[in-house]
Amino acid sequence: SLSPLDGVALVATKVRRLVWMGGRRDSSRGQPVEWNFGGCGGGCGGYDGVGAVTNMTLGLWPQSVPITFVGFEVGVGIHTGGLLAISSPQLPASPCADAYHTFCARMRGWCETDWSHSMSGRASWDPMAVLLAVRGAQQFYEYEIGEVSVDPRTGANSWTRSGELNGAGALAAVAAAPLRGQAHVRLRAGQQSALAAHLDELMR
């Protein structure tokens, strides 16, 4: 054994924050289940257990370790990778360019246009989550405080916003990451293009 602590206690001791790309800030009712929370929502073979795993993880996660969600809505309109498609001849050793080329060539329909031509890229949930975890919200985000619940059978989620932190009963939108509990990031007004350009520049 590497530690006398169980998994939950080890997370509480060693993890400062979880940044989780997954779920929807708007209710999932009537919308497709977000893949990272529930797979396809049923009928996908081994992926049908994703909702139960998500539900269990949230139930076991220590309350002292905050979770920040990068939800479907915040990333679906942030497209990156197109710059790599155009400049890849000048970036022969770029692992990011190779990754975009391979993914978009094999996963037809998941990128905006044929990867062999100029394109606007791919929705950027995962790069956004990595950037948030490493560098924080910077000028791009604010935090909405709340709590997520996930149906273990389908993976559909609902998000209940909370106004507890602002002391006025209104829905909370705060600049600093909460020290406990859960929050979704919301893109600040006018930052969509700036964030996409910033991510593209980091991946060059």
Side-chain angles (χ1 to χ4, degrees), residues 89 174 199:
V174 296
L199 287 167

Side-chain angles (χ1 to χ4, degrees), residues 57-135:
T57 302
L58 289 167
L60 291 173
W61 194 260
Q63 288 294 308
S64 60
V65 182
I67 303 175
T68 301
F69 296 104
V70 177
F72 177 86
E73 297 87 353
V74 76
V76 69
I78 307 294
H79 298 161
T80 56
L83 181 66
L84 297 176
I86 297 169
S87 60
S88 58
Q90 289 77 47
L91 300 171
S94 167
C96 292
D98 286 346
Y100 272 98
H101 271 283
T102 300
F103 179 87
C104 293
R106 293 182 180 178
M107 304 297 289
R108 297 294 181 182
W110 287 50
C111 298
E112 279 65 29
T113 65
D114 190 325
W115 183 248
S116 62
H117 300 87
S118 176
M119 58 173 287
S120 59
R122 162 84 176 134
S124 304
W125 301 284
D126 294 329
M128 291 167 64
V130 172
L131 181 63
L132 178 65
V134 174
R135 296 190 177 177

Side-chain angles (χ1 to χ4, degrees), residues 28-40:
S28 289
R29 296 184 182 89
Q31 301 181 69
V33 172
E34 196 283 313
W35 180 266
N36 289 350
F37 267 24
C40 70

